[in-house]
Each structure stands twice: as C-alpha cells, then as structure tokens.
Amino acid sequence: MVSTFLRGAQRLLCVVLAGTMTLAAAQGLPSLGDGSSMTTAAERKLGARIARELYRDPDYIDDAVLEDYVQSIWQPLLAAARQRGELTSEQDERYAWEILMGRDRTINAFALPGGYLGLHLGLIGAVSSRDELASVLAHELTHVTQRHISRLMEQSSRVTPWAIGAMILGALAVSRSPDAASAVIMGAQGAAVQSQLNFSRDMEREADRIGYGVATQAGFDPAGFVSMFDKLQQASKLNDNGSFPYLRSHPLTTERMADMQARQALLERRPAPTQPDLVHGMMAARARVLSNPGPDRLRSWVGEAGTLGPVPAAQAAPVLYAGALSASRLRDDEAARGLVQRLRVAVQADPKALRQAALLDAELRSAAGDAAGALAALAVIPADQAGRPELLLAAPLQIRSGQAAEVAQRLQARVALDARDAAAWQQLASAYAQQGQTLRAIRAEAEQQVARLDYAGALDRFKAAQNYARGPRQGNAPGDHIEASIIDVRARAIEAIVKEQEKERQAER
Ligand SMILES: [Zn+2]
C-alpha cells in the first residue's frame, strides 16, 4: 500500500469523490436505484471506514500537543456553530467531529463524510495566527454542517455508499503515489467528471459566509479570514508546485474574493492585540519540525536558533522552539537542553507559552532518557493549565517509576471522558500490565483498537481476554470476575459490528 497521508493530495474530498464516481460508474457497480439520500448514520459509517484506513497510514500523527492546540480552536467553533443553529443536534450526535492530522508538508485541510476532517501539519506550519487556522477549520466545518458532502453523494446515488467509500479510499491511495499508475487512473475520464462533482461555487461561497459567522462568533478575529485569503491569493500567483493543494479544491473565484472584500469593508478595525500570540508561533514551529523534514533542514533550524540575537519574544519563541525540537531529533540532547532553557526565559511573561516551553522541556528530557528531569519539568505547570498532553507525557515515566496505580486512575478518568482516546487506552494497557492486571491490560488493548475503528483487531484482543479469563491464571487480580463479564459484553457488541461489516462487504461484491 501507499505510505503517506494523502501525499500530494491534489484532490480534496470533492475531487476525490469525483474521480471515484467515474471509476465506480465505469465498473458498473450496483446502484441504489431509488436515488434515496444518504442518512447521517450511513454517512458516518462511510466516514469511519475511510478514517480507519487513515489511522493505519504511517503518516497519521497522534501528537497530543498539536491535538490539544487544534482542539482549543475547534471546540469553540463547534460551540458557536451549535449556538447559531448551524450544527443540528442530530449532526452533533451522529457525526464524529474528529480531526485526523497527517504529517504531510502540503498545505491542506479537507472534510470527509460523517464529520471526519483531515488536517495537514503543512497547513498548521504555514498559517500565521490561530485566527487563520480557525478560518480554514470554520470553512471545512461548514461543508459538513451544510451537508455539502452528503449532497455531492446524493447526486451520485446510482452508486452504493459502500462503493463510494471503497472508491474514495482507492482514489486517496492513488493520489498519494504520483506515479504512472495514478496518471492512468486519474486520466482524462476522471478529470472530466471531477469538474462536475467538485463542491459547487455556491457551496464554497456558503462555506465562506457561514464559516465567517461561526469563527467570528467563536471569538476569532475576522481578519483571519481576510489574511488567509491574501495568503492563498499570493500563493495562486506563484507557480503551482503542489504545496497548495488546498487551492485546487477551493479555488479562489472572483465571487469568493468579492464576497470577502465586501466583508472586509464592514470590518470594524479591532485594536491590535496588546500581547503577541506566542503559542501559535510555537505550535506552527512544532508542526514544521514534525512534518518529516530532512536532517539538513533540522540542522539549519538548530543553527538558526543558536545564532539568534536579542529579538522580541514573538520572534524568538518559534525559532528557539524549532531549534530545540530539531536538536532533540538529531540526538543532540545538550544543544536541545540549552535552547529549551533559552525558550523558557524568552516566554516567561506569558503563562500559556511557558506551559508549552515546559511541555517541550519535558518531552526532550524524556527523549534523552532523563525521566526524573522530565517529570520535574511537568511539575511546574499549574494544575489548572495541565491537560491531555501532560497526562500522556507523564504516564509512561510514572508507570516506570512505580506509580502505575495512580496513573491508571487518571487514565481511567480520561477514557471515561473520551472512549475514542486510543493513546490513553494504550497507556492504560501498560499501566495495568505493570501491576500484573493482565486481563484489564488485554481489554485496554482491545479498546485501543476500537478507538482506531479496527473492529477485527479489537475482537481478536477481546477473544484473547476471554481465553485468559477461562485459563488457569484466571482470578489473579482483584475484580477479574467483573472484568470478565464486561469483556463478554464488549466482545459480543464488537462481534456484531464485525459481522455487519462482513455482510456489507459481501453485498458489495
Ligand atoms: Zn471549500
């Protein structure tokens, strides 16, 4: 299979769907017949099927720090969309509202069926403020809430949803390997139909208009939309080198530009923020370093940070952050330590930025094998600021230092809050294993697979847990009999899902 997360995704969802339809039609796949529209539940299932493959992709990245940052923008957008009635309670309940990040350096974000969204690190690394990132996410959010994706699929209802899913996956795979085969498949025929099935101009304008309202209500500076447009427009003037796939699927039509200029004219000039947003600069730097640059690039970031003169914190923070993280990746722990200390000093007046510096310090110490130092770095973060990144960073260190029971308690609280937190399940499995609670550990492993939508893999682990419970070592740990009955219930539920998926696969043939 192909190895990168939507690499060269010249085709965002709309485009992907387009190529898809051609292929599906050409292969004479079964049709829905009555042209009935897709329910939100069916759309969610379809999205989950695509997301499952993205989770397995080596370029998928579950980075707690960036995830936390993106969520700090995404959750207010969702709340504003709810308040404005753009996001119905049915959508709220049925859709995933999940953002999957990919290491790809291209500037891209896209909406998939069922409320799954894709976000490339390249985009986080390229935007200059959280307001700009909010403008892109609000636009994509609106494609979902306005059911633009569903409408595109309804237009193509001659093809079953499951065939569409298979075809989207096929097209994504093809789009990632820019070789001869893809050129053949996405050739003339695909191109002709693509244009019909892209989001329409009206849909794009609607996503701009409603997205603008949502982002503004969520408290983001409307200027973020304007500067993002400027950025895209600048890019569109340059040669298309493939690093702006976002433009290809969201072309800046004259209408979109005119709409935005009209909105800009109505903008009240906001006073310039009294404090620069240090956190965004640091997060953008992180995204750039984590998007797989080569060692030369990493070395140049280390060099740049090393020779940085006295500059304001807003300039220093991203450079020092990128330098420290790059040095750590190059295994130059001493340089990393020096740069992260300079970073802490540079941002000391800003509590949120200081938290990011402390997290980075802990991460780098942990990577260098200094568990005690890492935990000490985390300890300075005030409890009211600490969240999932702190929890997941500390967990493996504390498990190894004999605090598995306390860690397990905190992780249980975390998965109770969000059962889809695969990383928390994974840590929980090792916390249980460390305490000799094998049965619970196997169940946590199973739940980790469920969180990644790999139901067959999960069923495998649940069966292993059942075998263990019936084996000679059963009842080793306190509460094992209760655990065993939970496992039976979960195994039955997951088995039902696996069977249903199997049936659906059969029906597709
Ligand atoms: Zn769009």
Side-chain angles (χ1 to χ4, degrees):
M1 259 304 268
V2 256
S3 61
T4 54
F5 187 94
L6 313 188
R7 158 111 40 106
Q10 301 89 330
R11 306 146 187 117
L12 295 182
L13 170 84
C14 30
V15 191
V16 164
L17 272 174
T20 298
M21 295 316 142
T22 329
L23 293 174
Q27 292 172 11
L29 287 157
S31 69
L32 280 177
D34 59 356
S36 62
S37 64
M38 193 177 220
T39 64
T40 45
E43 198 192 315
R44 169 72 186 268
K45 268 207 244 175
L46 173 53
R49 181 165 164 159
I50 296 163
R52 185 179 64 213
E53 298 305 316
L54 296 184
Y55 282 133
R56 289 178 182 177
D57 193 295
D59 260 12
Y60 166 74
I61 178 168
D62 181 9
D63 181 73
V65 170
L66 285 178
E67 167 76 20
D68 191 57
Y69 180 59
V70 170
Q71 287 300 323
S72 78
I73 296 167
W74 181 237
Q75 291 304 326
L77 291 174
L78 284 176
R82 269 180 213 117
Q83 273 169 17
R84 294 168 65 91
E86 305 295 352
L87 201 174
T88 66
S89 55
E90 193 202 2
Q91 290 176 336
D92 212 354
E93 216 172 281
R94 295 284 177 99
Y95 285 158
W97 304 114
E98 202 158 309
I99 299 179
L100 286 76
M101 287 189 287
R103 290 182 208 274
D104 205 298
R105 279 196 292 280
T106 54
I107 292 165
N108 208 355
F110 50 92
L112 291 164
Y116 291 95
L117 289 96
L119 176 61
H120 286 180
L121 294 193
L123 191 132
I124 304 176
V127 293
S128 14
S129 68
R130 59 189 277 122
D131 304 298
E132 285 185 5
L133 186 50
S135 78
V136 174
L137 293 177
H139 176 103
E140 295 305 319
L141 169 66
T142 306
H143 277 317
V144 182
T145 57
Q146 300 307 307
R147 304 211 70 202
H148 292 164
I149 296 163
S150 331
R151 279 193 256 157
L152 284 182
M153 288 191 289
E154 281 157 23
Q155 285 170 16
S156 323
S157 55
R158 293 192 312 113
V159 184
T160 68
W162 292 106
I164 295 174
M167 288 301 163
I168 291 177
L169 283 170
L172 287 182
V174 163
S175 75
R176 285 180 264 173
S177 66
D179 56 15
S182 67
V184 172
I185 299 174
M186 301 301 290
Q189 194 186 18
V193 185
Q194 269 179 15
S195 58
Q196 296 168 26
L197 287 165
N198 280 347
F199 285 132
S200 68
R201 287 174 167 218
D202 285 344
M203 286 175 176
E204 288 304 334
R205 291 172 72 186
E206 189 174 53
D208 286 342
R209 179 175 54 81
I210 296 177
Y212 183 89
V214 167
T216 309
Q217 178 150 342
F220 295 101
D221 189 341
F225 262 85
V226 177
S227 55
M228 192 67 207
F229 263 62
D230 287 346
K231 194 165 269 174
L232 292 171
Q233 198 185 21
Q234 287 301 319
S236 68
K237 284 179 188 156
L238 302 170
N239 275 339
D240 182 5
N241 62 2
S243 67
F244 266 79
Y246 194 75
L247 268 179
R248 238 167 281 139
S249 59
H250 295 77
L252 289 172
T253 58
T254 45
E255 295 104 313
R256 286 186 75 195
M257 294 304 294
D259 286 354
M260 199 45 77
Q261 273 149 12
R263 277 183 211 109
Q264 186 177 17
L266 295 174
L267 267 186
E268 287 172 40
R269 286 248 165 259
R270 282 199 181 188
T274 46
Q275 277 209 332
D277 182 358
L278 299 183
V279 171
H280 178 78
M282 294 161 86
M283 294 299 96
R286 182 177 183 84
R288 288 192 289 270
V289 177
L290 295 187
S291 64
N292 283 336
D296 287 347
R297 196 84 193 86
L298 293 177
R299 272 192 288 272
S300 82
W301 279 326
V302 176
E304 197 186 332
T307 56
L308 186 73
V311 292
Q315 254 174 284
V319 175
L320 294 171
Y321 194 108
L325 187 54
S326 299
S328 170
R329 302 212 119 199
L330 291 165
R331 296 264 167 261
D332 186 349
D333 294 328
E334 208 184 308
R337 234 183 350 259
L339 291 172
V340 86
Q341 288 319 318
R342 284 179 59 196
L343 176 65
R344 293 184 79 144
V345 172
V347 303
Q348 60 186 336
D350 180 331
K352 285 183 177 171
L354 199 52
R355 174 201 175 204
Q356 292 301 339
L359 276 167
L360 180 65
D361 193 2
E363 178 184 356
L364 303 190
R365 284 172 190 270
S366 175
D370 174 13
L375 288 170
L378 287 174
V380 305
I381 298 172
D384 62 345
Q385 276 194 47
R388 183 172 178 263
E390 284 82 356
L391 175 69
L392 293 180
L393 196 49
L397 306 170
Q398 291 171 324
I399 291 169
R400 280 199 296 275
S401 68
Q403 301 173 60
E406 296 94 309
V407 174
Q409 259 182 10
R410 285 200 290 276
L411 290 165
Q412 276 164 357
R414 172 68 207 150
V415 296
L417 206 66
D418 180 9
R420 289 189 282 169
D421 190 337
W425 282 116
Q426 186 181 19
Q427 296 288 350
L428 194 51
S430 76
Y432 286 144
Q434 182 74 19
Q435 299 173 81
Q437 299 183 341
T438 309
L439 195 55
R440 287 181 168 199
I442 305 174
R443 176 162 86 91
E445 284 168 12
E447 298 293 359
Q448 184 197 346
Q449 303 304 321
V450 174
R452 284 283 175 265
L453 307 170
D454 179 2
Y455 297 110
L459 187 56
D460 207 53
R461 296 316 292 149
F462 279 124
K463 292 208 159 140
Q466 286 176 319
N467 285 337
Y468 182 87
R470 292 186 196 107
R473 281 169 301 170
Q474 59 143 318
N476 271 359
D480 263 9
H481 60 288
I482 299 173
E483 191 65 20
S485 59
I486 295 173
I487 286 166
D488 286 339
V489 172
R490 292 291 289 147
R492 272 197 298 277
I494 299 303
E495 188 157 28
I497 297 176
V498 171
K499 280 187 175 154
E500 193 195 331
Q501 288 184 340
E502 188 51 39
K503 237 194 283 178
E504 278 156 358
R505 260 195 294 274
Q506 296 289 339
E508 279 168 46
R509 286 192 190 123

